[in-house]
Amino acid sequence: DVAPPQITSPTPTGTLPVGTTQAVLGVVTNEAATCRYGTTPGVAYDDLTTPFTTTGATAHSTTQTGLVNGGSYVYYVRCRDTAGNATTADTTISFAVASPPPPDTTPPTVSVTAPATGASVSGQSVAVSATAADNTGVSLMFLTL
């Protein structure tokens, strides 16, 4: 055996949901191998100091914590098979955590439709009607006085 392992299926990819604080990094190799990763590209396998937590077979994974909203993350992976053949090119795991939407700064509009504007009411039950609108949504609440 003189060929290094082939690395496939780097995960996660794309954009993870807002609020994600940890992710499981993973790769698959075509043969038993040990895999390591780092945040600097082009580092030789022997110089990478962070091994995957689960490694040695063909499925390799580790949990990365401390992720923040709006963050972008890139990890470079290299693996070595049991014959000592190490990959010479990086396999990249690249993903982001979504940013929360901007705060809603547009106030809602409210219009009381009954009783009529300026009406004076006392000593009786009166139905109150109102309409409201907002760019993101609105809830109405009525109080009984």
Side-chain angles (χ1 to χ4, degrees), residues 25-45:
L25 308 182
V27 295
V28 174
T29 53
N30 66 325
E31 61 180 316
T34 55
C35 298
R36 299 176 182 176
Y37 68 98
T39 56
T40 304
V43 176
Y45 175 85

Side-chain angles (χ1 to χ4, degrees), residues 41-57:
V43 176
Y45 175 85
D46 287 331
D47 295 328
L48 288 170
T49 59
T50 310
F52 278 74
T53 304
T54 301
T55 193

Side-chain angles (χ1 to χ4, degrees), residues 20-94:
T20 301
T21 59
Q22 66 180 22
V24 176
L25 308 182
V27 295
V28 174
T29 53
N30 66 325
E31 61 180 316
T34 55
C35 298
R36 299 176 182 176
Y37 68 98
T39 56
T40 304
V43 176
Y45 175 85
D46 287 331
D47 295 328
L48 288 170
T49 59
T50 310
F52 278 74
T53 304
T54 301
T55 193
T58 58
H60 314 272
S61 64
T62 196
T63 300
Q64 188 65 38
T65 60
L67 307 180
V68 298
N69 290 337
S72 294
Y73 303 90
V74 180
Y75 299 95
Y76 302 95
V77 180
R78 296 209 181 189
C79 300
R80 181 170 57 201
D81 65 18
T82 56
N85 302 306
T87 55
T88 57
D90 295 324
T91 294
T92 304
I93 297 174
S94 178

